[in-house]
């Protein structure tokens, strides 16, 4: 029983933090019409993204803090739980904020979300993760041993080059002796390199 509670504690804490933050943002948000509420969802197409970006830009004129806070919480939550749609949110960040601000916010949200995912995977335990990921886990374990002397640079390379899925890196890293500080810092640095083209997409400004 104690072991089960210990494993569930990080999960409950992270979910609780997101729930509290979303509750605060909801309480501070302005009144919205029924049509406007329909726009508040993760975009699944380019048209959804354009409509959401236009609405968010208009809303941010008078409620910038609420819009920025919602963007940060939703983006971090999507990264934490590997929810599809992060690419659209990245482009949305480029439409809402200046390029330096968007890069910093998106990179920080990516690093924070990946770190939360790291913690959640750590709480589940190595045997469960290795069973879920099968031979791929063992293969990456062998490759990681070869690159251990320059671990930071190797993680940056993996984040930039689409050789290993990001969700796989997030879930495997705590069980392959990758320190959280190295993991988070490499993720933050690589995010600037990988996300620049999406954040600076001129089509998102239109």
């Amino acid at each position: 029983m104690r072991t089960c509670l210990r494993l569930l504690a990080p999960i409950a804490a992270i979910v609780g933090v997101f729930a509290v933050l979303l509750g605060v943002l909801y309480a501070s948000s302005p009144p919205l019409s029924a049509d406007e509420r329909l726009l508040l969802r993760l975009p699944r197409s380019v048209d959804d993204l354009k409509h959401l970006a236009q609405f968010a830009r208009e809303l941010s004129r008078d409620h910038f803090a609420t819009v920025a806070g919602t963007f940060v919480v939703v983006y971090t939550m999507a990264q934490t739980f590997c929810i599809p749609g992060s690419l659209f949110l990245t482009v949305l960040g480029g439409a809402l904020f200046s390029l330096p601000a968007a890069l910093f916010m998106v990179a920080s949200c990516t690093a924070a979300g990946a770190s939360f995912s790291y913690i959640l995977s750590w709480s589940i335990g190595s045997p469960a993760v290795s069973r879920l990921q099968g031979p791929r886990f063992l293969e990456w374990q062998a490759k990681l041993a070869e690159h251990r002397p320059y671990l930071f640079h190797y993680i940056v390379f993996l984040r930039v080059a689409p050789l290993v899925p990001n969700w796989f890196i997030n879930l495997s890293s705590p069980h392959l002796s990758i320190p959280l500080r190295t993991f988070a810092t490499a993720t933050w640095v690589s995010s600037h390199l990988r996300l620049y083209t999406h954040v600076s997409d001129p089509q998102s400004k239109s």
Side-chain angles (χ1 to χ4, degrees):
M1 183 65 178
R2 291 182 179 179
T3 301
C4 182
L5 291 176
R6 182 179 62 82
L7 295 177
L8 292 176
I11 300 175
I14 291 175
V15 172
V17 168
F18 282 127
V20 170
L21 290 176
L22 288 174
V24 171
L25 289 168
Y26 179 80
S28 62
S29 63
L32 301 177
S33 66
D35 291 337
E36 289 174 335
R37 291 180 184 275
L38 292 176
L39 297 173
L40 299 180
R41 60 181 181 180
L42 286 176
R44 290 290 183 264
S45 67
V46 176
D47 288 337
D48 287 347
L49 176 62
K50 289 182 178 179
H51 294 151
L52 178 58
Q54 181 180 359
F55 170 67
R57 279 197 298 265
E58 294 174 356
L59 189 63
S60 65
R61 294 171 185 169
D62 297 322
H63 305 278
F64 180 81
T66 299
V67 172
T70 302
F71 176 84
V72 168
V73 173
V74 171
Y75 197 107
T76 304
M77 188 165 56
Q79 291 291 317
T80 299
F81 300 108
C82 303
I83 300 173
S86 294
L87 178 59
F88 284 129
L89 287 176
T90 300
V91 179
L92 177 63
L96 292 177
F97 313 109
S98 65
L99 179 58
L103 278 174
F104 178 80
M105 291 173 67
V106 169
S108 298
C109 291
T110 300
S115 298
F116 287 141
S117 186
Y118 177 111
I119 294 171
L120 291 175
S121 179
W122 169 82
S123 69
I124 294 174
S126 180
V129 172
S130 61
R131 283 197 298 270
L132 287 173
Q133 298 177 349
R136 178 181 288 183
F137 180 87
L138 299 177
E139 181 181 351
W140 196 46
Q141 186 177 36
K143 290 183 178 180
L144 195 63
E146 299 176 7
H147 300 285
R148 181 68 62 176
Y150 39 95
L151 183 60
F152 175 86
H153 299 88
Y154 183 57
I155 296 177
V156 170
F157 169 75
L158 289 178
R159 291 291 195 184
V160 175
L163 300 177
V164 180
N166 282 320
W167 64 264
F168 179 82
I169 298 175
N170 295 347
L171 297 180
S172 300
S173 292
H175 311 293
L176 295 175
S177 301
I178 298 178
L180 178 57
R181 179 180 298 180
T182 301
F183 171 86
T185 306
T187 301
W188 190 81
V189 171
S190 63
S191 295
H192 284 81
L193 304 175
R194 181 170 53 87
L195 299 172
Y196 176 80
T197 55
H198 303 305
V199 171
S200 60
D201 182 7
Q203 296 297 324
S204 65
K205 304 291 184 179
S206 60

